[in-house]
């Protein structure tokens, strides 16, 4: 498996947060994005409110002779966003925090579909990709043909859904088409190792969702009525500590099936 801490591309460098768990896998990936000769960097997902991690991110940037010019959030879940304000203070206090959800911004400027970020000369294009959460964003780094997916696509395993399944499937289909059209070279996820075959990874995610949906449909046809009852059938071979999270995803699938009837 790829070494996660320190992985990346010519313009992207990962600092792994020390918050491993069943939900966060090896921990949250904080991404430092910069042109090699730039004075400023963009930080994507500073991570949790962990002083050791935030200081390490700030020190890594300083050791490169650069400064944090901007912070972007893929979404507002605490393991990605809770440390943002503290990181800005550690890094000198000048950077703004931009996010789709106004609650997670520091400054007046947000992020939305079609925005282009050019801080420090690096170009990042913004795509709205709801499903994991309603405020999930993906960033395209064209110079490295890299897709930064947050929790929409992980380095391994599958993501939990808090948003709508229909939105998520649309986001995956869109990312699959986009990655093919742009000849994407790698996916840089919010958790887990980078994926150097984006189309295969996205095909796997799409196929998995379709398979799970068919399993949920079969469970409902067999008499299951609640998300918990479906989980007990469909996720019988999965560690029970993950069942509460599985219920969120199953509820999204039940809602999707109800909307189609």
């Amino acid at each position: 498996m790829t070494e996660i801490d320190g992985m990346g591309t010519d313009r992207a460098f990962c600092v792994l947060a020390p918050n491993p768990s069943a939900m966060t896998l090896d921990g949250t990936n904080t991404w430092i994005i910069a042109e090699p000769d730039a004075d400023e960097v963009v930080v994507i997902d500073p991570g949790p409110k962990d002083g050791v991690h935030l200081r390490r991110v700030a020190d890594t940037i300083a050791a490169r002779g650069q400064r944090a010019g901007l912070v972007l959030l893929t979404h507002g879940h605490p393991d990605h966003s809770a440390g943002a304000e503290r990181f800005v203070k550690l890094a000198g206090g000048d950077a703004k925090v931009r996010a789709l959800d106004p609650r997670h911004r520091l400054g007046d400027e947000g992020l939305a579909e079609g925005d282009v970020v050019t801080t420090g000369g690096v170009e990042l294009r913004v795509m709205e990709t709801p499903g994991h959460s309603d405020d999930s964003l993906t960033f395209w780094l064209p110079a490295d043909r890299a897709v930064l997916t947050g929790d929409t696509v992980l380095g391994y395993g599958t993501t939990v859904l808090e948003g709508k399944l229909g939105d998520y499937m649309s986001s995956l289909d869109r990312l699959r088409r986009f990655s093919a059209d742009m000849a994407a070279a790698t996916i840089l996820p919010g958790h887990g190792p980078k994926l150097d075959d984006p189309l295969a990874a996205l095909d796997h995610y799409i196929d998995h969702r379709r398979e799970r949906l068919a399993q949920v449909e079969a469970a409902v046809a067999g008499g299951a009525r609640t998300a918990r009852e479906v989980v007990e059938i469909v996720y019988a071979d999965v560690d029970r500590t993950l069942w509460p999270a599985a219920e969120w995803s199953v509820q999204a699938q039940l809602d999707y099936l109800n909307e189609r009837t």
Side-chain angles (χ1 to χ4, degrees):
M1 181 178 289
T2 302
E3 183 70 26
I4 296 172
D5 193 58
M7 70 179 177
T9 62
D10 290 343
R11 293 165 182 81
F13 182 84
C14 178
V15 182
L16 179 64
N19 61 330
S21 73
M23 294 292 289
T24 60
L25 305 182
D26 306 87
T28 301
N29 297 337
T30 295
W31 290 100
I32 300 171
I33 312 293
E35 288 293 336
D37 58 351
D39 295 329
E40 289 186 319
V41 308
V42 177
V43 175
I44 297 178
D45 292 348
K49 194 179 289 184
D50 180 306
V52 173
H53 172 65
L54 299 173
R55 171 54 67 186
R56 184 167 171 246
V57 176
D59 288 348
T60 298
I61 295 167
R64 293 158 45 141
Q66 297 171 315
R67 65 185 184 88
L70 181 65
V71 174
L72 306 179
L73 301 180
T74 61
H75 63 298
H77 286 165
D79 60 308
H80 294 257
S81 68
E85 187 171 354
R86 186 171 179 186
F87 168 74
V88 168
K89 293 177 181 177
L90 287 171
D94 295 330
K96 302 301 182 184
V97 179
R98 295 178 62 183
L100 179 61
D101 188 335
R103 294 176 297 176
H104 303 294
R105 299 171 188 169
L106 185 60
D108 297 330
E109 195 170 7
L111 287 171
E113 174 72 33
D115 284 351
V116 179
V117 174
T118 57
T119 297
V122 70
E123 179 181 310
L124 288 162
R125 296 184 175 272
V126 181
M127 294 185 283
E128 295 185 22
T129 49
H132 169 69
S133 63
D134 289 338
D135 66 333
S136 287
L137 298 173
T138 291
F139 302 108
W140 168 242
L141 177 58
D144 290 343
R145 295 176 20 241
V147 190
L148 293 110
T149 55
D151 286 1
T152 299
V153 177
L154 307 179
Y156 60 88
T158 56
T159 195
V160 172
L161 299 186
E162 289 187 10
K164 294 181 177 181
L165 177 61
D167 288 345
Y168 186 60
M169 293 300 292
S170 294
S171 292
L172 291 179
D173 288 340
R174 180 190 182 192
L175 286 174
R176 207 301 181 176
R177 291 192 303 272
F178 180 87
S179 296
D181 291 345
M182 305 304 290
T186 190
I187 289 174
L188 306 179
H191 302 278
K194 67 190 182 83
L195 301 167
D196 291 331
D197 190 342
L199 298 186
L202 287 160
D203 284 342
H204 170 72
Y205 258 64
I206 291 167
D207 290 345
H208 173 79
R209 281 297 163 193
R210 289 174 177 161
E211 290 168 5
R212 277 291 191 226
L213 186 61
Q215 291 171 340
V216 170
E217 280 189 289
V220 171
R225 291 293 175 263
T226 66
R228 176 68 180 201
E229 290 172 350
V230 172
V231 167
E232 290 173 355
I233 296 168
V234 175
Y235 292 81
D237 59 346
V238 175
D239 187 337
R240 290 196 174 203
T241 62
L242 299 177
W243 280 14
E247 283 189 55
W248 298 339
S249 291
V250 166
Q251 188 59 58
Q253 292 173 86
L254 291 174
D255 292 342
Y256 177 75
L257 293 173
N258 288 334
E259 291 169 2
R260 295 200 316 181
T261 58

